[in-house]
Amino acid sequence: MNYPGKGLVEGLAVTARNFVGSYFYKDRLTTVQYPEERIQTPENSRTFPFLVFDESPDKPRCTACKICEVECPPKCIYIVMDRDDKGKPLQRPKAFDIDISVCMQCQICVEVCPFESIKMDNDYEKSKYGRFNDLVQRLPDLLKSNDYYRQIKPVKAAEVDAKLKAEAEAKAAKKAAAVAAAAAKAAATPPAGSAT
Amino acid sequence: MIAAPSTIPAGGAITTQLLEISIGPQHPSTHGVFRMDVVLDGEVVRALKPVVGYLHRNHEQLAEKMSWLGSMPYTDRLDYFNSMSNNWAYALAVEKLAGIKVPERAEYIRVIMAELSRLQNHASAIGFLLQDCGAWGTPLLYAFKEREKILDFFETVSGSRMMCNYFRFGGVRVDLNDEMLAMARKIVAEFPKFLDEFEKLMTTNEVVLARCQRVGILPKELAIAGSISGPVARASGVEYDIRKVDKYGVYGQLEFGVPVGAVGDVYDRYYIRVLEMRESVKILQQVLRDIPAGPVQAVEVKLRGFKIPAGDGYGRVEGAKGELGFYLVSEGGPKPYRYHIRPPSFINLTVLEDMCVGHKVADAIIILGSIDIVLGEVDR
Ligand code: SF4
Ligand code: SF4
């Protein structure tokens, strides 16, 4: 059947069906009342980076190797290595700043870090009143525990934990083997040792 | 069918005067910070000059100061509706230059991502077009409802809804697990329902026909001469689709058609997108059925200190808006010596004046909408 205005009438029928349907079917109602209701973010979702520490915040995993500082495309990371009184590097950051007004959430720092130390957060409520310094995240703001990481990204954190554990075990085994080898060597050549 | 009057005879009883006005750069119907300098005779456009550059971010120069990988996230920000296909074009250019082979599963995942991007881009493009016609909100929000599902999928896979940064040289960053594949299958299964509904709303709507038919005709010869690509060219009857021509990725093994228009008016550009979405759904069904198991990243590619042998290469994909190409020159170092983008929106914009002259100023708005530009890509 064809009559003038058929397209208009059919279009209006579609609109009406959607409008009325939104009272009855949940999938037609797609919005969420934000501050009261929240959508669970998926595991992979990412906002800004944070630094992981294992036992206490003064022992971060980060060794201040500055790889992420170099690789970050907009160069929003700033790192200073901590040194002791004699100027010997302590393999940990004294300052670690990320300017999140510049950070573009690209995750490249996470991918290049060899120590599993920097990870992406999924906290999206980072608005601040101040325009300049408030958006620079300093070391204390960035440090978060591994438990927090496990909580926001359970699957990935488990993978990282397993990897770090395997690495630590391999290292321990290697050390033990080296000690044993040294001991065996010492046992095998006692005269040389006693002669000197 | 209602015939739309395309021109008003000039020089009638009333003597008129030409008036030059500026539309934009903050006009809601210019799709971003884009300005049109229009010379009007009454309501009829006599000349039109597109003015671009308000969103220039120095993308190409920045990329020449950055590692090869470093500019991957920046490509997301070109055409921010289609970060996945932008990533692909760049990755393709680098892979060509460095001679990297991509594992099969990664190729399939790339097709899934690119076609889903096309779906959501076309859905919102026609939504915006109809919004420009005066269908305030309704079609656009229906399209956005569908787009939302695809963006949720992108977030689940890549971590971000729009700035995906998902492709890597020689593969993709994250493998799709079974849940993600199920999610994609659900989106693809539901999409035709949305298309049917949308078509019922719009395709035969008398107001849409009156506004869009025989408005802004782009002749086939001009489309070819202006190197117009993508849906705009195909609507004018140019049968040119890089997925068919280059057969990059696994497109050579897939079955799909390339719809072409006959008239090349705004209505054809609307309808060609609907048809392309139907083809994309077909592609997605095949890919999601056949996706093989295996690795998603070529092992030989390092993230850091990645160097490319000296030479130059051009990688291009059929993006949702047209031919998106990256021309790269390497000196063998860790960063590109020259990095040039061929942005489809920018080149498609060059025929705007030819399409608009002789039409009313309100038609110029929908003609612009039918080209489907994104200013992030026009200005770079
Ligand atoms: S976060 Fe990782 S890459 Fe960055 S300085 Fe620390 S250890 Fe190095
Ligand atoms: S997410 Fe990207 S932009 Fe942000 S700090 Fe890391 S590398 Fe830099």
Side-chain angles (χ1 to χ4, degrees):
Chain A
M1 193 180 71
N2 225 335
Y3 51 90
K6 179 166 178 258
L8 279 176
V9 172
E10 279 179 348
L12 282 174
V14 170
T15 324
R17 208 164 40 242
N18 271 285
F19 172 66
V20 178
S22 69
Y23 285 94
F24 298 100
Y25 301 103
K26 194 91 185 71
D27 60 329
R28 283 197 196 262
L29 199 65
T30 43
T31 46
V32 171
Q33 299 297 326
Y34 163 59
E36 288 87 32
E37 287 176 70
R38 272 148 212 266
I39 296 175
Q40 174 78 35
T41 50
E43 157 132 13
N44 279 347
S45 92
R46 58 178 203 258
T47 55
F48 294 104
F50 70 96
L51 292 172
V52 185
F53 65 82
D54 282 312
E55 286 117 37
S56 72
D58 31 299
K59 281 195 211 128
R61 276 186 198 164
C62 175
T63 60
C65 69
K66 301 200 181 184
I67 289 174
C68 54
E69 188 184 27
V70 173
E71 293 292 328
C72 169
K75 301 276 179 285
C76 63
I77 306 180
Y78 173 76
I79 302 169
V80 177
M81 167 85 84
D82 202 4
R83 289 173 190 274
D84 65 7
D85 306 337
K86 297 192 194 79
K88 195 169 144 278
L90 287 177
Q91 310 281 317
R92 66 165 189 241
K94 184 168 158 207
F96 196 116
D97 298 348
I98 297 181
D99 187 345
I100 61 168
S101 64
V102 176
C103 172
M104 59 171 175
Q105 320 181 335
C106 66
Q107 204 180 348
I108 283 182
C109 49
V110 177
E111 283 169 59
V112 296
C113 175
F115 301 101
E116 304 286 355
S117 130
I118 190 164
K119 294 289 167 199
M120 291 314 262
D121 207 340
N122 57 8
D123 169 19
Y124 45 85
E125 291 169 326
K126 287 214 189 272
S127 318
K128 295 275 159 60
Y129 285 105
R131 198 162 180 188
F132 300 104
N133 281 335
D134 288 11
L135 284 169
V136 179
Q137 304 250 298
R138 312 269 176 203
L139 189 55
D141 312 320
L142 289 170
L143 281 170
K144 289 186 180 168
S145 70
N146 196 20
D147 287 333
Y148 173 77
Y149 182 49
R150 283 191 195 120
Q151 194 189 325
I152 58 167
K153 313 214 163 168
V155 180
K156 265 198 207 151
E159 272 169 28
V160 169
D161 286 348
K163 184 180 157 221
L164 289 179
K165 197 163 158 238
E167 268 173 17
E169 272 166 11
K171 213 170 159 191
K174 213 169 147 197
K175 208 170 172 187
V179 169
K185 206 173 161 200
T189 54
S194 55
T196 48
Chain B
M1 213 184 297
I2 305 161
S6 60
T7 51
I8 291 179
I14 318 164
T15 42
T16 54
Q17 193 184 351
L18 292 185
L19 181 69
E20 186 179 344
I21 60 163
S22 169
I23 304 179
Q26 286 98 356
H27 198 275
S29 58
T30 53
H31 297 249
V33 277
F34 171 68
R35 189 156 74 87
M36 297 191 281
D37 245 347
V38 210
V39 177
L40 293 179
D41 176 7
E43 241 193 299
V44 181
V45 178
R46 291 279 171 243
L48 185 149
K49 201 170 79 188
V51 186
V52 300
Y54 294 96
L55 201 62
H56 182 59
R57 288 148 304 162
N58 216 358
H59 178 109
E60 293 178 359
Q61 191 75 53
L62 276 177
E64 286 160 16
K65 297 271 173 291
M66 219 171 279
S67 68
W68 291 100
L69 176 64
S71 39
M72 183 64 91
Y74 283 104
T75 62
D76 294 341
R77 285 138 177 98
L78 281 173
D79 167 4
Y80 37 78
F81 273 82
N82 286 298
S83 57
M84 292 285 191
S85 357
N86 301 346
N87 283 181
W88 197 355
Y90 179 50
L92 205 64
V94 169
E95 281 154 11
K96 245 189 198 173
L97 200 50
I100 301 166
K101 183 129 178 40
V102 182
E104 176 128 38
R105 185 178 172 87
E107 292 281 23
Y108 273 81
I109 294 178
R110 285 176 170 196
V111 174
I112 296 176
M113 293 306 174
E115 293 306 322
L116 283 175
S117 304
R118 192 183 319 279
L119 286 183
Q120 55 97 2
N121 176 77
H122 282 0
S124 24
I126 55 180
F128 277 120
L129 170 63
L130 294 161
Q131 168 132 340
D132 289 342
C133 287
W136 188 257
T138 308
L140 179 65
L141 290 181
Y142 285 9
F144 267 30
K145 194 171 88 185
E146 213 53 35
R147 174 171 180 251
E148 206 58 26
K149 294 180 194 161
I150 297 174
L151 292 188
D152 280 348
F153 175 69
F154 285 170
E155 185 178 14
T156 312
V157 177
S158 75
S160 185
R161 288 153 49 83
M162 289 170 83
M163 304 300 144
C164 302
N165 184 18
Y166 179 61
F167 286 45
R168 287 290 172 267
F169 312 134
V172 292
R173 187 154 52 77
V174 188
D175 195 2
L176 298 186
N177 58 26
D178 292 341
E179 280 159 47
M180 294 170 186
L181 281 174
M183 200 170 166
R185 287 197 181 102
K186 187 157 171 275
I187 293 169
V188 174
E190 283 172 3
F191 205 83
K193 223 169 86 192
F194 155 76
L195 275 179
D196 293 340
E197 189 181 72
F198 201 87
E199 280 213 67
K200 215 177 236 166
L201 196 60
M202 287 299 145
T203 302
T204 53
N205 186 304
E206 281 80 3
V207 182
V208 174
L209 294 178
R211 280 302 302 280
C212 298
Q213 277 187 330
R214 283 187 294 285
V215 167
I217 295 179
L218 176 68
K220 189 174 176 183
E221 297 70 40
L222 183 60
I224 295 171
S227 63
I228 307 304
S229 54
V232 181
R234 287 193 286 273
S236 296
V238 185
E239 200 183 339
Y240 185 70
D241 187 320
I242 294 161
R243 291 174 292 175
K244 284 279 187 204
V245 177
D246 276 11
K247 297 195 171 47
Y248 60 95
V250 285
Y251 280 118
Q253 303 159 27
L254 301 171
E255 262 174 52
F256 62 100
V258 179
V260 285
V263 187
D265 54 3
V266 172
Y267 187 78
D268 273 5
R269 289 196 278 280
Y270 154 74
Y271 201 57
I272 208 94
R273 294 199 165 94
V274 175
L275 294 177
E276 274 186 23
M277 281 193 270
R278 294 203 187 272
E279 294 301 323
S280 286
V281 169
K282 258 188 232 164
I283 296 178
L284 279 165
Q285 282 163 346
Q286 294 168 44
V287 176
L288 286 167
R289 186 190 64 211
D290 297 341
I291 181 166
V296 293
Q297 173 72 44
V299 278
E300 73 266 22
V301 186
K302 290 181 294 174
L303 270 178
R304 282 174 52 220
F306 178 62
K307 291 204 174 88
I308 294 183
D312 61 343
Y314 181 66
R316 58 177 190 171
V317 297
E318 179 69 37
K321 297 185 166 65
E323 172 182 345
L324 175 69
F326 281 77
Y327 177 66
L328 304 173
V329 181
S330 169
E331 282 187 320
K335 46 186 161 190
Y337 173 72
R338 178 76 179 102
Y339 174 106
H340 177 74
I341 306 163
R342 182 218 188 270
S345 303
F346 178 60
I347 292 174
N348 290 355
L349 207 50
T350 52
V351 287
L352 183 64
E353 178 169 18
D354 302 275
M355 290 198 264
C356 289
V357 167
H359 291 293
K360 299 215 175 125
V361 68
D363 291 336
I365 301 292
I366 62 168
I367 294 169
L368 176 68
S370 74
I371 305 180
D372 183 20
I373 57 165
V374 157
L375 268 296
E377 188 178 71
V378 173
D379 293 344
R380 304 187 297 299

